[in-house]
Amino acid sequence: MDEEIDMKRPENTSARDSWSTGFGFIMSAAGSAVGLGNIWKFPYVCGTNGGAVFLIMYIIFAFLIGYPILMTELSIGRAGRMNSVDSCRRIDPKWGFTGMFGVAGAAAVLTYYSVVGGWVMKYSSAFILGRIPSPDYFSEYSSSTVEPVIWQSIFILLTAAVVTFGISGGIEKVSSVLIPLLLLFLAGLMIYSLSLPGAAEGVRFFLIPQSTDIKSTSDIAHIALKALGQVFFSLSLGMGTLITYGSYLEDDFSITRGTTYIVVIDTVIAVISGLVILPAVFSMGLTPDEGAGLIFSTLTEVFGKIGAGRILGSLFFLLVFFAALTSSISLLEVIVSFAFERTAVSRKMAAVIAAVLFIILSVFASLSFGLLSDVRILGMTIFDLFVFLSDNVIMPLGGIFICILAAWKWGRADLVNEVTSHGLQRFKSASLYVFLVKYVCPAVILTIFISSLIM
Ligand code: TRP
């Protein structure tokens, strides 16, 4: 089996683009992971789902489920050396659909991701121009017709531009600068936020579980569902992103070390974001369960009140924008690598075609906050439908299939061989890892997936 896989590996991998340094790869994968999921979504999902209880479940799932799946995706990609579909097919020709899930899921995420990316760009520009929006401006802006569509189209075009330059020339260069910068700035903002009057209330909400948070077992199941979904989203799992990024990895790169860095960086940035936003929410006398507008309305209120608010606000939204960009790049790369490795089109052409397609799709997602807000499919707005399809259907199923493909079809020996670079790296917890991928991850995801459908 081992030999068979090796024989199928293309002879000349040097013709294919690859990461130029291990650091560059880690920053790019962290760049994919760290994005709107951490700074925009995590605080508000945590705020609407029980605060500290959510945080605890999130951290448990990140290491118990997210960590092994991330490692598995990187390994599938590196062994396959192709886009997510063909990398899965290398393991089992009948399992290309697992990668297809990734391509479809990435398309669904990108459609609504660019809407939020556009909001962030609008807020960046407003702060830079010195026009700090009022807290209730968000609902007015997001429901308007023309301007959001323009900003999100620019967001998509920028994403496509970086993807055009490929791996080492585009994605890696951008991420290696932006991710460390983001970490530093958020840490600074956290210290500021914690010093606001009344911030302790937010810290308590975020870090100390309250018995009132949970009233029944269905509450626990609901919070678990949200926490697992957030782990998948935040770590970019279940959608072929990390299969694709893994396919550009050098053979001797330590996948275990890389995975540890990525999961830790992503989790730390989510927790820091929580410690930026939630204390500020409580300090301003607002409530944390406001939903998708939370960072837009809360932080504009905070920045509107303080002396250097304009500069801090500009910096904040700019960095969130860059974080979103490094993530949307990873989403588009899944689609573009599939398109240009599978068809006669070039990387450039594939990026251009995809950009046009996503500009059109995301118009509908954006208008569902205003003009098309009455259009309901399965009871959901168009935006919510894309969120539901990707977060609640494609991501969990993709995750389960990846586990089955790796642990059951590929098998322990080959999987561990790839993780350890064919025995080059030590991997003391190999047995625990295989056990998690083979039994625990599929069982946990399946349980939560089914309970979410019946709840
Ligand atoms: N992880 C990113 C974030 O937190 C979003 C993202 C990028 C993503 N690639 C993905 C989500 C693939 C799911 C699947 O913002």
Side-chain angles (χ1 to χ4, degrees):
M1 192 59 197
D2 214 352
E3 271 177 8
E4 213 180 298
I5 299 285
D6 275 339
M7 268 162 48
K8 284 184 195 162
R9 186 175 277 190
E11 296 268 291
N12 180 8
T13 48
S14 61
R16 205 163 174 265
D17 205 349
S18 69
W19 306 106
S20 50
T21 63
F23 175 78
F25 161 74
I26 291 172
M27 286 304 119
S28 306
S32 165
V34 175
L36 296 170
N38 305 59
I39 308 169
W40 163 71
K41 205 168 184 184
F42 180 83
Y44 92 75
V45 179
C46 179
T48 39
N49 290 285
V53 178
F54 176 90
L55 175 68
I56 292 167
M57 287 201 203
Y58 178 86
I59 292 177
I60 294 174
F61 283 145
F63 286 89
L64 193 72
I65 313 280
Y67 188 99
I69 296 186
L70 206 159
M71 198 140 103
T72 306
E73 286 203 28
L74 292 179
S75 306
I76 292 177
R78 186 168 71 182
R81 290 255 173 268
M82 288 287 266
N83 59 75
S84 65
V85 177
D86 290 307
S87 287
C88 291
R89 291 190 57 208
R90 279 248 164 80
I91 293 174
D92 186 323
K94 289 199 209 76
W95 279 65
F97 70 89
T98 305
M100 251 350 264
F101 258 70
V103 177
V109 175
L110 195 56
T111 301
Y112 75 85
Y113 208 81
S114 48
V115 174
V116 186
W119 295 342
V120 172
M121 287 186 82
K122 163 70 188 176
Y123 270 69
S124 313
S125 83
F127 271 96
I128 292 168
L129 297 173
R131 290 198 289 260
I132 301 186
S134 71
D136 40 357
Y137 177 68
F138 176 73
S139 55
E140 182 192 323
Y141 175 74
S142 58
S143 60
S144 59
T145 305
V146 181
E147 205 186 334
V149 169
I150 295 175
W151 282 113
Q152 76 204 29
S153 303
I154 299 175
F155 184 79
I156 295 171
L157 290 174
L158 287 173
T159 303
V162 179
V163 169
T164 308
F165 288 105
I167 295 301
S168 50
I171 298 170
E172 186 174 340
K173 278 214 172 73
V174 173
S175 302
S176 296
V177 181
L178 292 178
I179 293 303
L181 210 62
L182 178 73
L183 193 58
L184 267 180
F185 181 73
L186 274 179
L189 205 56
M190 172 184 77
I191 294 170
Y192 177 78
S193 214
L194 290 175
S195 72
L196 290 170
E201 198 55 39
V203 177
R204 208 169 301 131
F205 172 79
F206 187 48
L207 298 181
I208 303 171
Q210 247 80 63
S211 55
T212 48
D213 292 342
I214 295 180
K215 292 179 204 71
S216 63
T217 38
S218 97
D219 277 355
I220 298 183
H222 184 78
I223 297 175
L225 168 71
K226 292 288 175 187
L228 186 68
Q230 179 62 23
V231 165
F232 265 74
F233 186 84
S234 193
L235 290 173
S236 306
L237 298 178
M239 297 232 178
T241 304
L242 291 149
I243 297 183
T244 309
Y245 274 23
S247 75
Y248 303 112
L249 268 179
E250 300 292 339
D251 283 326
D252 58 355
F253 177 80
S254 166
I255 286 187
T256 49
R257 194 171 60 96
T259 305
T260 306
Y261 275 115
I262 298 163
V263 176
V264 169
I265 292 174
D266 189 70
T267 308
V268 165
I269 293 194
V271 172
I272 293 182
S273 300
L275 287 173
V276 170
I277 314 288
L278 294 168
V281 169
F282 281 85
S283 167
M284 297 291 140
L286 306 167
T287 54
D289 56 357
E290 172 189 328
L294 188 67
I295 68 163
F296 297 99
S297 45
T298 314
L299 287 183
T300 43
E301 178 140 359
V302 175
F303 292 134
K305 281 199 178 139
I306 58 180
R310 179 179 162 191
I311 295 173
L312 285 178
S314 311
L315 264 173
F316 175 78
F317 281 105
L318 269 178
L319 282 170
V320 179
F321 156 65
F322 284 122
L325 192 66
T326 52
S327 301
S328 63
I329 289 168
S330 75
L331 288 161
L332 190 61
E333 175 67 21
V334 175
I335 298 159
V336 166
S337 66
F338 173 68
F340 84 84
E341 287 178 356
R342 268 306 181 91
T343 62
V345 298
S346 64
R347 174 182 272 277
K348 268 205 179 73
M349 199 58 203
V352 171
I353 297 171
V356 173
L357 188 79
F358 284 112
I359 287 176
I360 297 170
L361 272 178
S362 64
V363 169
F364 292 99
S366 173
L367 293 184
S368 73
F369 286 93
L371 210 58
L372 301 179
S373 61
D374 290 336
V375 178
R376 296 291 152 120
I377 304 163
L378 302 172
M380 288 173 267
T381 66
I382 302 171
F383 184 93
D384 290 338
L385 182 72
F386 280 112
V387 176
F388 172 78
L389 280 180
S390 58
D391 297 14
N392 295 34
V393 181
I394 301 177
M395 260 184 253
L397 288 180
I400 292 176
F401 290 139
I402 283 166
C403 292
I404 297 176
L405 178 64
W408 296 82
K409 296 275 163 189
W410 207 12
R412 180 194 162 115
D414 288 326
L415 177 59
V416 172
N417 232 337
E418 188 58 54
V419 174
T420 58
S421 306
H422 297 260
L424 198 69
Q425 263 106 24
R426 288 188 335 140
F427 186 20
K428 277 190 279 180
S429 332
S431 297
L432 173 66
Y433 161 64
V434 175
F435 178 74
L436 288 175
V437 177
K438 198 165 181 177
Y439 303 106
V440 179
C441 296
V444 172
I445 303 171
L446 195 66
T447 311
I448 293 184
F449 175 65
I450 292 175
S451 56
S452 82
L453 293 185
I454 50 185
M455 259 185 339

